[in-house]
Amino acid sequence: MKKYGYTLFLIFSFFNALSQMPLNGTHYADSLTQQLKKELPNATKAKSSFLLSEFYLRTDTAKAEQYLQQGLAHSEGNSFMQAVSLYYKALQMMAKNPELAKKMLLQSDASLKKFKTKEALLVRSMCWHSYAFRHHLRNEIKESIEIILHKAIPLAIQSGDLGFLGKNYFLLSAGFKNLGQHAKEKIYLTKAVSILKKANAPQYLAMIYQSIGENYISLGKLKEAKSNLDSMMILLKPYPQSEMWLEYYAGEALRLNTALQFDSALTVVEKGMLLAKRFKGTYAEKRILLQKFYALHSKEDFPEAKNVGLALVKDKQFMAWETNKLQIYYGLATSYEGMKNKQSAYKWLKLYSGLSDSLSNSKLKETANLLEVKYRTAENQKKIVALNAENEKAKLATKNSRLVNWLLGLASIFLLIVAFFGWLFYRNSKKLALQKDLNHQQELKDIDRQQQIKLVQVMLNAKEDEQNRLARDLHDGLGCMLAIAKLNLTDYIHEQGNNNTLELQNIVTQLDTSIGELRRISHNMMPEMLLKLGLKALLKDLCESAASAALKVDFQYLGINNNLLAQEQINIYRIIQEAITNATKHAQAQNLLLQCSQNEDVFFITVEDDGKGFDATHLDKVEGIGLNNIKSRVEYLKGKIEILSERNKRGTSINIELYVTA
């Protein structure tokens, strides 16, 4: 259920994009209300009314509409405030009628062009920011980036508002993240944080720390996530009653749940729920409740988890998102199953299965398109390399031909005078040409090797993606079908009484075994524990699953850097998994040793067994997918592999060196 954490952040960003969230919310609203009671110009009262309308947009739509109407009344006769009012009317319409809201944003920008004040420039930047964010939510990322770069940011710079400029750079970094351009993402994210530290806009900076923290959680980098959430907490400390604390509690509870610290997560949830009583209808409260549901479910407190889940199901704002529905449907199904209520479990599992199938078909098309793009890219790279090689050969042939013709002409003129020197020069020229040819051949080999490494990388990534997709399909599709079949058969046994109970119970047992085996296969294909527990725990689990009464497995894990990249950990795990599988299947060993160690950027793997050996003198002629997979992954990590084994002798030793991030 944690895999939808980034989607929840996106939903939170939607509400924050529509309005500012002052850290001292109560004081902010009171000061604006007091201004409306004073004898001030109508333009000032109109502005205060619009800001109050924006403030209450998240929590009290009736109040928001009331202050909007007051602002419109105070704007009569003032062309500037009437143009500004279109922006605030668009904020009100964004959830009800997005298309009409977009038209209002464009009308507001067009009407404000004739005003050259900094305030007009800021409101125009706000219009384009909201317009771009609508594209961002609809996954039209390139359009969003174009609008932010060419519209919102230039206007924000002209207005001189550093706070809103930093907010624009933050949205820009999120766009490049979605496009996979992480170098640009880092540039603009760093720029956003730097600007907001200079500006007097702690509400924007707190929002960025919170979003970066939740993004690190989704990547499994909990240490970095805690650092950013702590920075957010420091900004919030002067404002103990700020609504932004709800977002902090939601993010911190998500981090603790991801770290499997469920009791600590529940403590944070209770703090958040206590503060949430002061605010009505905030989406942050639903996010905190979702973390409570997850913690209770993980602690197997199914009755309490069920109650929280049912409360979330009744909330229309929360259930408007399909990712939320998937989590709650599946969580309620497993909660009812834990409570032995098979009828209700079947009901929620059926809802989950129907929605999951619908989403899986869409994801399958996306995966197919991605693989096609990767394939075409690899093919184009090979064509480019081939054309470059042909061009180099043609150039070399032309150079050699010109050199020979020149030598022959010179020899014909000075043949009798400098015969010896001409012959000596010709011989040296031949040596030079031969050396150039050798150098060129070596360059071609290097290019070919680099291309092979890139091709292996694409193949491994595609294979890993396909394994993950197949594992999800097995777990979410076939696993659900077997679970439903088991529930139906169990109900049938209860209805039949003692008739054929023993045979049917055997069938139920077989279904349980099949479900367990299916889960083992899917988890084996998609090692999600790497993000949860790390490489060491996953390798230990692999060794324990390989051990049996006939095979003793000894696992040693020495001096390993815990900051290995996720892709490196997956490749290391796959190499060891393949080696142990080969040993258990073919060696008929009684003892097996797996030793992992690290010295700076070199990762050492040793797999030894006392089983029957094989001919290791001609590894390039050995057939088999397993060994080829090991060699491909070792080559991808620029490593070396040594296999010591002989046919008809006991014992095999595999020594591997890999280059990883230090």
Side-chain angles (χ1 to χ4, degrees):
M1 288 185 285
K2 292 182 288 184
K3 62 183 177 181
Y4 302 111
Y6 184 70
T7 302
L8 295 179
F9 157 64
L10 195 61
I11 297 168
F12 156 67
S13 297
F14 168 69
F15 294 107
N16 256 11
L18 295 181
S19 58
Q20 300 181 29
M21 186 183 287
L23 297 184
N24 54 344
T26 304
H27 176 74
Y28 174 80
D30 289 343
S31 63
L32 290 175
T33 305
Q34 290 300 320
Q35 284 196 15
L36 293 177
K37 297 177 181 179
K38 297 177 181 179
E39 292 295 330
L40 296 171
N42 283 340
T44 303
K45 289 188 175 183
K47 182 177 179 180
S48 298
S49 299
F50 289 143
L51 291 175
L52 282 169
S53 172
E54 180 185 27
F55 177 78
Y56 285 110
L57 183 62
R58 299 182 310 276
T59 57
D60 193 333
T61 55
K63 267 192 175 181
E65 178 63 26
Q66 174 190 340
Y67 283 114
L68 176 65
Q69 294 304 321
Q70 286 187 25
L72 294 174
H74 289 306
S75 299
E76 290 184 4
N78 187 320
S79 58
F80 174 74
M81 291 310 302
Q82 286 178 341
V84 171
S85 71
L86 290 171
Y87 167 74
Y88 291 97
K89 288 171 69 176
L91 295 186
Q92 294 278 355
M93 295 300 299
M94 198 68 77
K96 303 173 186 176
N97 191 336
E99 292 304 316
L100 179 58
K102 288 168 62 176
K103 291 180 181 179
M104 289 180 177
L105 291 173
L106 294 177
Q107 290 173 4
S108 178
D109 173 71
S111 301
L112 288 167
K113 283 184 178 179
K114 61 184 177 181
F115 301 100
K116 305 303 180 183
T117 64
K118 289 189 174 183
E119 185 178 3
L121 292 168
L122 176 60
V123 177
R124 289 180 63 195
S125 178
M126 292 160 65
C127 288
W128 285 111
H129 181 95
S130 297
Y131 193 84
F133 197 80
R134 287 300 307 173
H135 284 288
H136 191 93
L137 283 179
R138 295 173 61 180
N139 207 31
E140 297 168 351
I141 306 301
K142 291 184 178 179
E143 293 83 350
S144 174
I145 289 176
E146 287 292 321
I147 294 170
I148 290 293
L149 275 175
H150 301 299
K151 296 287 187 180
I153 287 179
L155 289 168
I157 292 174
Q158 293 177 54
S159 74
D161 192 305
L162 292 180
F164 199 72
L165 177 61
K167 187 175 181 180
N168 276 299
Y169 277 121
F170 172 60
L171 180 57
L172 187 61
S173 72
F176 283 113
K177 171 185 171 57
N178 285 4
L179 292 179
Q181 299 182 24
H182 300 295
K184 289 186 178 180
E185 174 206 356
K186 186 176 181 180
I187 290 173
Y188 289 114
L189 189 58
T190 303
K191 199 167 187 176
V193 173
S194 175
I195 290 174
L196 290 173
K197 284 182 177 179
K198 298 176 184 177
N200 185 22
Q203 69 273 23
Y204 293 136
L205 190 57
M207 179 184 70
I208 289 184
Y209 281 137
Q210 190 261 0
S211 63
I212 296 173
E214 292 201 2
N215 187 34
Y216 274 129
I217 293 172
S218 70
L219 297 173
K221 297 182 177 181
L222 301 184
K223 183 178 179 181
E224 292 85 347
K226 185 178 187 305
S227 175
N228 281 276
L229 289 172
D230 287 347
S231 297
M232 179 187 183
M233 180 178 63
I234 292 171
L235 287 175
L236 295 179
K237 275 188 176 181
Y239 312 99
Q241 301 302 319
S242 172
E243 186 182 342
M244 278 291 286
W245 276 104
L246 297 179
E247 300 302 336
Y248 168 78
Y249 289 135
E252 179 66 3
L254 174 62
R255 182 187 71 81
L256 291 169
N257 274 331
T258 307
L260 308 182
Q261 299 176 23
F262 305 119
D263 290 328
S264 298
L266 287 173
T267 301
V268 171
V269 165
E270 291 307 315
K271 291 182 181 178
M273 295 306 298
L274 185 63
L275 180 62
K277 292 179 180 179
R278 301 186 67 253
F279 307 97
K280 297 179 180 179
T282 62
Y283 192 83
E285 180 181 4
K286 313 304 184 304
R287 297 177 69 231
I288 294 173
L289 276 175
L290 181 62
Q291 294 308 313
K292 181 177 183 179
F293 173 76
Y294 179 77
L296 291 170
H297 184 278
S298 299
K299 285 168 60 69
E300 298 186 358
D301 189 351
F302 298 122
E304 283 299 317
K306 178 260 301 181
N307 292 335
V308 177
L310 291 176
L312 286 171
V313 167
K314 295 177 182 177
D315 190 279
K316 293 181 180 179
Q317 184 186 21
F318 181 80
M319 295 301 287
W321 303 88
E322 289 181 337
T323 52
N324 292 346
K325 291 180 182 178
L326 274 178
Q327 293 181 93
I328 294 301
Y329 288 165
Y330 184 76
L332 285 172
T334 52
S335 294
Y336 275 113
E337 184 180 16
M339 297 166 60
K340 309 302 181 184
N341 188 338
K342 295 182 174 57
Q343 184 176 0
S344 296
Y346 172 76
K347 167 191 169 184
W348 292 105
L349 190 61
K350 187 175 180 181
L351 288 172
Y352 168 80
S353 180
L355 182 58
S356 178
D357 288 345
S358 174
L359 294 177
S360 294
N361 289 335
S362 174
K363 289 179 180 177
L364 182 60
K365 292 179 181 178
E366 292 177 5
T367 302
N369 292 335
L370 180 61
L371 290 175
E372 183 179 1
V373 170
K374 288 182 177 180
Y375 172 77
R376 289 180 177 175
T377 301
E379 289 298 310
N380 290 337
Q381 288 295 329
K382 286 194 284 186
K383 290 180 180 179
I384 291 172
V385 170
L387 289 173
N388 287 338
E390 290 179 3
N391 289 336
E392 289 297 326
K393 288 181 180 179
K395 289 179 181 179
L396 183 60
T398 301
K399 288 181 180 179
N400 288 339
S401 177
R402 289 176 180 174
L403 180 60
V404 171
N405 290 334
W406 181 81
L407 290 174
L408 290 175
L410 184 63
S412 63
I413 298 173
F414 301 100
L415 183 61
L416 296 176
I417 302 173
V418 290
F420 174 76
F421 296 100
W423 170 82
L424 183 61
F425 183 78
Y426 178 77
R427 186 184 66 173
N428 291 337
S429 298
K430 291 285 286 185
K431 287 183 179 181
L432 179 61
L434 180 61
Q435 186 61 43
K436 286 184 177 181
D437 184 68
L438 291 175
N439 292 339
H440 178 66
Q441 292 296 327
Q442 184 60 42
E443 290 176 359
L444 290 178
K445 288 180 181 179
D446 291 341
I447 292 173
D448 183 67
R449 178 176 175 80
Q450 291 297 323
Q451 190 62 26
Q452 288 294 328
I453 291 174
K454 290 180 181 178
L455 182 60
V456 167
Q457 181 179 1
V458 171
M459 291 173 62
L460 290 177
N461 290 340
K463 178 182 177 183
E464 202 67 38
D465 291 343
E466 184 63 16
Q467 281 188 337
N468 289 342
R469 184 196 66 78
L470 182 57
R472 284 193 295 270
D473 288 348
L474 285 173
H475 184 274
D476 295 341
L478 185 55
C480 288
M481 293 171 63
L482 288 174
I484 292 171
K486 175 191 169 185
L487 289 172
N488 289 335
L489 188 56
T490 304
D491 291 339
Y492 178 78
I493 292 173
H494 290 166
E495 292 174 2
Q496 294 297 317
N498 294 326
N499 297 331
N500 298 320
T501 301
L502 182 58
E503 291 85 355
L504 293 176
Q505 287 292 350
N506 288 337
I507 295 174
V508 171
T509 301
Q510 292 174 359
L511 278 175
D512 276 332
T513 303
S514 299
I515 292 171
E517 181 65 10
L518 179 62
R519 287 176 177 169
R520 184 191 68 77
I521 291 173
S522 63
H523 290 166
N524 194 35
M525 295 175 68
M526 184 176 61
E528 293 179 342
M529 285 202 303
L530 277 174
L531 295 180
K532 295 179 180 178
L533 303 179
L535 179 62
K536 180 179 179 180
L538 195 57
L539 290 177
K540 182 179 179 182
D541 182 71
L542 176 63
C543 292
E544 289 175 354
S545 64
S548 64
L551 177 63
K552 178 183 177 182
V553 180
D554 183 16
F555 173 49
Q556 299 177 7
Y557 196 79
L558 309 171
I560 304 301
N561 185 354
N562 293 327
N563 295 325
L564 293 177
L565 298 177
Q567 189 62 39
E568 294 173 347
Q569 294 187 50
I570 290 174
N571 279 299
I572 291 170
Y573 174 78
R574 293 299 188 198
I575 289 170
I576 295 173
Q577 181 185 41
E578 200 71 57
I580 291 179
T581 300
N582 288 341
T584 55
K585 281 185 177 181
H586 307 299
Q588 299 177 2
Q590 296 179 350
N591 295 282
L592 188 145
L593 168 66
L594 168 61
Q595 185 181 78
C596 298
S597 60
Q598 185 177 350
N599 182 15
E600 295 183 350
D601 62 341
V602 182
F603 192 101
F604 299 95
I605 300 172
T606 298
V607 181
E608 295 182 353
D609 65 73
D610 59 356
K612 63 181 183 180
F614 62 93
D615 186 6
T617 57
H618 301 288
L619 291 178
D620 55 330
K621 298 181 180 179
V622 175
E623 297 182 355
I625 297 176
L627 187 56
N628 287 334
N629 282 341
I630 292 176
K631 291 194 289 185
S632 296
R633 292 182 185 275
V634 170
E635 185 175 3
Y636 170 60
L637 291 176
K638 301 178 182 179
K640 297 182 293 184
I641 180 171
E642 178 187 45
I643 300 179
L644 304 176
S645 185
E646 295 183 25
R647 189 182 296 277
N648 300 325
K649 287 189 177 182
R650 304 293 292 182
T652 296
S653 178
I654 301 177
N655 300 307
I656 299 173
E657 295 181 13
L658 306 173
Y659 287 91
V660 297
T661 304

